Amino acid sequence: MFKTGLSILLTVAAFVPPGNEQTRRGRRAATEKCPDERSYTGKYRNFAYGFSIVIPAGLKGYWNSARCVHDEKHGCVCMGDHGRFIPLSEDANIEAYVGYQMEPDLSLIDLENADIQYLKNHEGIEQVRVAGSRWFRLGRLHARRFVVRFVEKKREVVREHIIALHGGVE
């Protein structure tokens, strides 16, 4: 179903006459917000990295890549779409983030250990401890889920990570 949705999107784009595309692009640049200025609800599909999530009812998702640049000539120019940031409250959130695996020889456990080590070495973070770690399935992928507790700015923080790898994408 995911691939069908992508091919339909590409087919529709192919039937737009060239003159109309320029006009649409110009109007979009002048009137529509860049993706980093919008909020998102419902099903979110990331075609670049091949995953989707559902933003729970009553919540909104926001762009979590670098800010876009908007100018009169080119319209909205953005870095690749890496996922969504979903606030739950003032001090809790869900972040669905994906990127290319920078070191292809690292295993899921290596990546888990690197995330934990990063927290232990990060200035201002103290008392880092792993509260739990386990294997599970994320769709068809083997994944690692781990919970880390630490103190930052005199507040206890609980962070749950899920890491999966597929074709060079983390």
Side-chain angles (χ1 to χ4, degrees):
M1 187 164 96
F2 185 78
K3 289 181 182 177
T4 305
L6 179 58
S7 64
I8 290 170
L9 176 65
L10 294 174
T11 304
V12 170
F15 288 107
V16 175
N20 290 348
E21 180 60 25
Q22 277 302 92
T23 306
R24 274 187 345 114
R25 219 180 267 146
R27 261 187 271 154
R28 185 176 341 140
T31 60
E32 288 187 21
K33 291 182 177 181
C34 287
D36 65 336
E37 298 172 333
R38 297 179 47 216
S39 62
Y40 299 83
T41 58
K43 189 165 188 173
Y44 159 71
R45 288 186 177 128
N46 187 305
F47 292 108
Y49 291 100
F51 77 97
S52 65
I53 61 169
V54 175
I55 298 168
L59 298 177
K60 294 181 180 179
Y62 299 91
W63 183 262
N64 72 348
S65 296
R67 301 283 310 179
C68 300
V69 176
H70 191 276
D71 69 31
E72 296 299 317
K73 184 177 180 183
H74 298 100
C76 189
V77 179
C78 302
M79 178 181 176
D81 181 3
H82 290 275
R84 291 294 177 264
F85 176 82
I86 306 165
L88 299 174
S89 69
E90 191 174 302
D91 58 354
N93 65 72
I94 298 169
E95 185 168 0
Y97 180 85
V98 66
Y100 291 108
Q101 185 181 7
M102 300 310 285
E103 297 183 49
D105 295 335
L106 295 181
S107 68
L108 288 174
I109 290 178
D110 293 334
L111 292 168
E112 175 183 347
N113 290 334
D115 283 350
I116 294 164
Q117 195 60 45
Y118 171 81
L119 289 171
K120 287 181 177 180
N121 294 335
H122 193 76
E123 190 174 325
I125 294 181
E126 304 169 348
Q127 303 174 24
V128 177
R129 68 181 179 86
V130 178
S133 179
R134 67 182 178 92
W135 290 100
F136 80 107
R137 304 278 298 169
L138 182 62
R140 289 177 279 170
L141 302 175
H142 291 286
R144 211 55 198 156
R145 173 179 248 146
F146 61 101
V147 177
V148 181
R149 294 179 172 272
F150 55 90
V151 175
E152 182 178 33
K153 298 178 185 173
K154 298 181 182 180
R155 290 182 6 182
E156 184 176 46
V157 177
V158 178
R159 187 176 290 171
E160 182 173 354
H161 294 249
I162 296 174
I163 302 173
L165 298 172
H166 178 69
V169 173
E170 179 180 340

